[in-house]
Amino acid sequence: MTTPHPVILGLDVGGSAVKAGLVAADGEILVPHLRSARRPTTFDELVGIVRELADEMCTQRGAKRPSDLATGVGLGVPGLLDDDHGGVERSPNLPWLDGRPLRAALAEVLGVDPTHVHVENDANSAALGESWLGAGAERDDLFLLTLGTGIGGGVVLGNRLWRGRGMAGEIGHTKIHDTGPVCGCGRVGCLETFASASAAERLALAAGLPSASPGDLELLAERARAASGPERDLLEAIGEDLGRGVGAAINLFDLRTYLFGGGFAAALDVLLPGVRRGIEAASYGGRTAEIELLPAVLGPAAGWIGAARAAMLETP
Ligand SMILES: [Zn+2]
């Protein structure tokens, strides 16, 4: 595919850091994965961090200014996007982004044309990144689920994002139960309240598992892997709920490939038996044996790589 941008600067805004890198249109990574030392807590801080990361790239590449490095910029952010204004309509996790003019501010601080700056949802970015250079590189269509604080989702059809009106793929808010804890979206029964990393921590603590202090999901998975017992039972039950969400996606899109990223996806091997059961329970058609359930491979770089790819495909 031809692109007017031979090199793109990719950015990914998360709750704990901003990640960035520089990638060429042919997929060559020119500056791999930078991570800001501090986390942004205001809009102005975010813009400052972006400038610092761009300056670091300039140093690495021997460039004078960011606009010498790249003509296009892609940025992944959590939340519902406002495509008209190039910003975020509502970000439950980073509310200081709401309504702020991201595209214009990035164009100004990086010295690039605003029409060459693309703002994309973070889970969509990760899905497109995996589709381009990661676990989905050999597939044209895929659905990515990111298992973190919540559950994000992104749909890639024919190697392009299916964005809908900006919020397609929000599988984390698929209702899978009638009761449960209140979700960040204000409703009850959402997939992410049963199968995200945060949900797994909550459920492990409630089950009295000594291995499951918050942030200790690795140990939980390790024990589940080693022997049958309450840890394995819990992860299979969580997997089954996750499979109910995947089953809903199967019913809608009938895709073959489902990728799992985010921190909790490190437990995918022990979640999988449950996921398969959940899919059987929730999906129509009985062709689930052909379904691929694969770990994402780009890790925390998926977001900025995919945001850069989105800028390549979506900006003039
Ligand atoms: Zn929800």
Side-chain angles (χ1 to χ4, degrees):
M1 173 168 295
T2 57
T3 167
H5 306 297
V7 176
I8 299 270
L9 198 165
L11 294 155
D12 182 24
V13 182
S16 55
V18 181
K19 289 152 272 179
L22 199 64
V23 60
D26 64 2
E28 187 190 351
I29 305 290
L30 303 172
V31 175
H33 204 59
L34 302 177
R35 190 178 195 281
S36 67
R38 56 204 172 95
R39 72 188 178 94
T41 57
T42 67
F43 185 74
D44 292 341
E45 259 178 35
L46 169 63
V47 174
I49 288 172
V50 167
R51 180 65 207 224
E52 287 166 19
L53 290 167
D55 286 344
E56 164 71 25
M57 287 183 201
C58 287
T59 305
Q60 285 195 25
R61 300 286 297 169
K64 267 194 182 148
R65 57 186 83 80
S67 57
D68 294 340
L69 289 174
T71 53
V73 177
L75 173 88
V77 286
L80 283 179
L81 302 181
D82 173 357
D83 283 344
D84 291 341
H85 299 98
V88 178
E89 186 177 307
R90 190 159 54 86
S91 180
N93 296 327
L94 305 176
W96 45 265
L97 275 173
D98 293 5
R100 301 305 300 271
L102 257 179
R103 184 167 57 205
L106 291 182
E108 191 183 339
V109 75
L110 297 173
V112 300
D113 187 317
T115 62
H116 296 168
V117 178
H118 181 75
V119 179
E120 188 54 73
N121 171 270
D122 60 347
N124 277 357
S125 297
L128 192 60
E130 291 288 342
S131 162
W132 186 33
L133 300 179
E138 305 294 319
R139 280 103 179 144
D140 292 336
D141 310 317
L142 62 83
F143 198 113
L144 171 82
L145 297 94
T146 56
L147 311 179
T149 310
I151 296 184
V155 194
V156 174
L157 302 176
N159 297 306
R160 302 288 291 252
L161 273 176
W162 176 259
R163 309 177 69 247
R165 292 177 296 153
M167 62 156 278
E170 287 284 354
I171 195 169
H173 302 285
T174 299
K175 189 177 173 78
I176 60 160
H177 291 299
D178 288 330
T179 57
V182 177
C183 181
C185 74
R187 299 179 307 146
V188 161
C190 291
L191 174 63
E192 71 177 36
T193 63
F194 293 97
S196 62
S198 316
E201 287 169 3
R202 187 195 81 237
L203 291 164
L205 285 172
L209 294 179
S211 61
S213 58
D216 211 0
L217 291 178
E218 257 171 56
L219 184 57
L220 189 75
E222 218 169 272
R223 293 192 178 181
R225 219 167 267 134
S228 58
E231 288 90 354
R232 186 180 292 178
D233 293 347
L234 177 70
L235 285 176
E236 290 199 9
I238 292 171
E240 195 164 331
D241 277 339
L242 184 57
R244 289 176 191 280
V246 176
I250 291 171
N251 291 342
L252 284 176
F253 292 104
D254 191 25
L255 304 183
R256 184 191 294 266
T257 306
Y258 298 81
L259 304 181
F260 297 84
F264 190 38
L268 184 62
D269 59 321
V270 275
L271 291 168
L272 272 183
V275 175
R276 289 262 174 214
R277 278 203 306 276
I279 288 175
E280 294 291 343
S283 71
Y284 166 83
R287 293 186 296 165
T288 52
E290 299 162 16
I291 300 284
E292 295 182 307
L293 305 166
L294 306 171
V297 298
L298 295 179
W304 67 258
I305 289 174
R309 181 63 171 165
M312 273 176 218
L313 297 174
E314 306 290 343
T315 65

